[in-house]
Amino acid sequence: MSVVTRFPPSPTGLMHVGNARTALFNWLYARHHKGKFVVRIEDTDRKRHSEEAVQVIMDALEWLGLDYDGEVTSQFSRLDRHTEVAKEMVAKGQAYYCYCSPEDLKEMREKARADGCKTFYDRRWRNADSSKAPKDINPVIRIKAPMEGATTINDKVQGEVTVANDQLDDFIILRSDGTPTYMLSVVVDDHDMGVTHIIRGDDHLNNTFRQKIIFDAMGWDVPTFAHLPLLHGSDGAKFSKRHGAQSISEFKEMGYLPEALSNYLLRLGWSHGDEEVIPRDKAVEWFDLDPVGKAPAKFDFKKLENLNAHYINEADTEYLLKQAAPFFVKRLGLKPSGIGLERLIAGIDELKSRAKTLIQFVDDGAFYVKEIPFSYDEKAQKNIDEAKDVLSTLLECFESHKGAFDAEFVQSTCKEIADDMRDGKLGKVAMPLRAALTGTTVSPSIFHASEILGKEECCERLRAVL
Ligand code: GLU
């Protein structure tokens, strides 16, 4: 049997990182088993529906590199099919019309509450003669749930989970307005789409028992279930806004690479020995559900940052510059080009080895791309103001220098000036130089950076502050 997994998000307007992890696990399971990964948009809530919200999901999947098989299915477009199945179940004697009025139901609810029952519907129409049905009531369709025994799920993550059938009532599958319930739509779609494995958050575990009843009633194969523990924050509470970024677009805007986030999400609840860095091809090779634990996975931003630093450092130049381009536009208002781009590329190894995010990469490398006149941050300005004498000496040494203008020359010049003018303290020369050349007080090695900028540009930048 060939594996088919699915990702069925409701288009809420954002792709939560927990949902992205679910998508990733389904994708990996399918790819590992050379099966299919299908996407279904659960868009039956028409009041809140918007195409932009669907696009947010598609963009997130694309950014994470999770490609899918076939066309995206719209659940809404399949409502007729869901209705047809509900009626088929009635015809097969597996479901029935229920004509209870709102008053009847209210009475039953009150009685159940007084008796301390978990279910309330007394199944009065289960075997009733429908010729006695009231004419003024639009009936619902209820499933004939088993009344004795128990329903058991052999969950790949949660193990064997059993619920006594008297805890599950004859739930509604088609509402009185003729629309199918979520419980029915999901099962019909999963069946028709040939889904063999349902991997999702454990907040859906309770639905599973009811869904299994529908599969059984239709005589359909029940897929294998795997309910993943939900994400928690570092304090053990359910992962939420107060812990930090939640949606994929937020992570993207914070300058995380998709490889890093996806590697991090994979490690949330899944492991392969002690491996931390697991590139996509290895993930496909190694992924299976057995190592997924039952304990909630704690989201740790520090670990994500470490992975991000790793992937930035490993990235090839062309790819990294493409990923960083939107950040240059956002933070500097320009895309690196011409001489600025050349300098950036010359200094890229050092930038890569320092950056934890694309934002840091761009901020650290901005000075290669910026043109004078540019602004100086407060600390840089202070350094410049306090060392005008040093800076003009540096300018004289640079201007009169005839040999190679390399890191070694700049460093030894700074050292000589420090010995002469600043009690041998190299930082007292290097820092003002950094401030003048970069506009900030943090940058890669200023000696190497000077070499990349070149003699002319360094002199220009020194003149600009003097
Ligand atoms: N649309 C549901 C959700 O976004 C998914 C339900 C399922 O996986 O069965 O939570």
Side-chain angles (χ1 to χ4, degrees):
M1 180 188 58
S2 164
V3 164
V4 180
T5 63
R6 41 59 131 195
F7 179 55
S10 311
T12 56
L14 59 83
M15 174 85 131
H16 191 270
V17 70
N19 260 356
R21 181 184 63 145
T22 302
L24 174 69
F25 280 30
N26 278 283
W27 184 91
L28 284 171
Y29 194 77
R31 296 292 174 253
H32 174 80
H33 290 281
K34 307 221 170 349
K36 291 201 164 100
F37 170 68
V38 296
V39 174
R40 172 174 80 234
I41 304 291
E42 304 213 312
D43 51 357
T44 51
D45 182 353
R46 297 320 276 182
K47 271 190 239 115
R48 275 186 272 166
H49 184 74
S50 82
E51 279 311 310
E52 292 85 75
V54 176
Q55 199 51 49
V56 167
I57 293 166
M58 302 321 294
D59 290 348
L61 288 176
E62 192 185 340
W63 186 70
L64 289 166
L66 304 178
D67 59 335
Y68 49 88
D69 296 292
E71 297 289 311
V72 174
T73 301
S74 146
Q75 186 158 66
F76 177 68
S77 72
R78 294 179 35 84
L79 290 191
D80 288 350
R81 166 69 180 147
H82 306 152
T83 309
E84 177 189 297
V85 170
K87 294 192 173 153
E88 197 181 320
M89 273 202 262
V90 175
K92 293 204 309 192
Q94 297 284 1
Y96 59 93
Y97 287 101
C98 163
Y99 295 87
C100 286
S101 65
E103 294 73 37
D104 294 337
L105 293 167
K106 187 167 171 243
E107 219 171 84
M108 280 183 246
R109 259 192 209 102
E110 276 163 12
K111 183 169 180 320
R113 201 170 301 134
D115 297 349
C117 285
K118 279 225 169 136
T119 61
F120 75 94
Y121 180 64
D122 65 9
R123 299 177 151 115
R124 66 179 64 173
W125 286 96
R126 183 164 166 134
N127 296 307
D129 177 357
S130 56
S131 66
K132 299 212 176 71
K135 296 277 172 288
D136 56 339
I137 299 262
N138 281 333
V140 298
I141 295 181
R142 288 182 183 271
I143 193 155
K144 278 188 188 167
M147 292 169 65
E148 278 150 20
T151 298
T152 296
I153 313 270
N154 257 315
D155 193 273
K156 282 281 223 177
V157 174
Q158 308 292 329
E160 199 176 280
V161 196
T162 299
V163 163
N165 285 334
D166 62 9
Q167 306 285 305
L168 307 165
D169 57 6
D170 286 357
F171 56 92
I172 297 172
I173 54 174
L174 200 78
R175 298 186 193 93
S176 58
D177 64 2
T179 57
T181 57
Y182 170 69
M183 214 58 87
L184 176 69
S185 299
V186 168
V187 172
V188 176
D189 287 348
D190 283 339
H191 170 74
D192 289 359
M193 294 165 82
V195 172
T196 60
H197 291 73
I198 294 182
I199 305 168
R200 61 186 172 192
D202 66 10
D203 49 337
H204 286 287
L205 185 60
N206 274 334
N207 292 336
T208 310
F209 301 101
R210 292 187 173 82
Q211 291 171 5
K212 180 170 185 294
I213 291 172
I214 302 178
F215 279 107
D216 288 342
M218 285 303 290
W220 290 339
D221 287 341
V222 181
T224 300
F225 291 97
H227 285 91
L228 310 172
L230 296 184
L231 303 186
H232 282 195
S234 47
D235 56 358
K238 193 170 170 248
F239 190 54
S240 68
K241 267 198 189 126
R242 69 190 173 82
H243 296 111
Q246 298 287 298
S247 72
I248 293 304
S249 57
E250 282 174 274
F251 283 95
K252 186 176 170 186
E253 277 165 27
M254 286 162 80
Y256 291 106
L257 285 176
E259 296 81 349
L261 184 59
S262 145
N263 187 154
Y264 182 65
L265 292 180
L266 171 62
R267 290 285 293 105
L268 275 179
W270 181 88
S271 58
H272 182 85
D274 294 331
E275 306 280 347
E276 287 295 342
V277 176
I278 308 177
R280 193 52 75 80
D281 55 339
K282 286 285 169 225
V284 170
E285 188 184 325
W286 293 336
F287 190 80
D288 224 329
L289 290 169
D290 300 327
V292 178
K294 271 201 252 182
K298 282 190 185 167
F299 202 99
D300 182 339
F301 281 88
K302 195 83 212 143
K303 280 193 180 165
L304 169 60
E305 203 176 82
N306 289 342
L307 276 170
N308 205 43
H310 169 84
Y311 281 98
I312 289 177
N313 199 23
E314 295 277 293
D316 78 57
T317 297
E318 199 184 328
Y319 174 75
L320 190 62
L321 290 176
K322 194 166 155 236
Q323 294 289 331
F327 293 90
F328 274 109
V329 172
K330 211 164 165 190
R331 301 182 79 79
L332 295 185
L334 54 87
K335 255 192 187 164
S337 64
I339 182 79
L341 178 61
E342 277 170 35
R343 288 175 183 149
L344 182 66
I345 292 174
I348 205 159
D349 285 345
E350 212 175 337
L351 294 171
K352 271 158 73 171
S353 68
R354 297 162 48 90
K356 292 193 166 71
T357 65
L358 291 173
I359 293 180
Q360 192 193 343
F361 172 79
V362 165
D363 288 354
D364 279 2
F367 75 95
Y368 284 130
V369 180
K370 286 193 294 193
E371 280 172 29
I372 36 173
F374 52 71
S375 57
Y376 305 86
D377 70 26
E378 211 178 301
K379 277 193 196 157
Q381 192 60 57
K382 190 160 176 278
N383 267 283
I384 291 166
D385 292 343
E386 286 169 4
K388 288 270 165 73
D389 55 341
V390 163
L391 291 169
S392 61
T393 312
L394 269 168
L395 177 60
E396 277 165 31
C397 294
F398 285 2
E399 280 173 335
S400 59
H401 180 65
K402 292 279 180 294
F405 190 84
D406 55 15
E408 210 177 308
F409 161 72
V410 178
Q411 184 167 5
S412 60
T413 307
C414 286
K415 186 149 187 336
E416 277 163 30
I417 297 174
D419 288 343
D420 287 354
M421 303 173 72
R422 289 293 188 271
D423 297 330
K425 294 197 175 97
L426 183 61
K428 299 236 164 186
V429 177
M431 193 51 99
L433 177 64
R434 169 176 288 123
L437 298 186
T438 71
T440 71
T441 49
V442 273
S443 81
S445 152
I446 198 59
F447 310 126
H448 187 218
S450 302
E451 177 180 328
I452 291 171
L453 287 171
K455 178 174 158 177
E456 280 318 308
E457 183 68 16
C458 288
C459 291
E460 279 295 311
R461 292 187 185 196
L462 284 170
R463 274 180 224 119
V465 295
L466 286 169

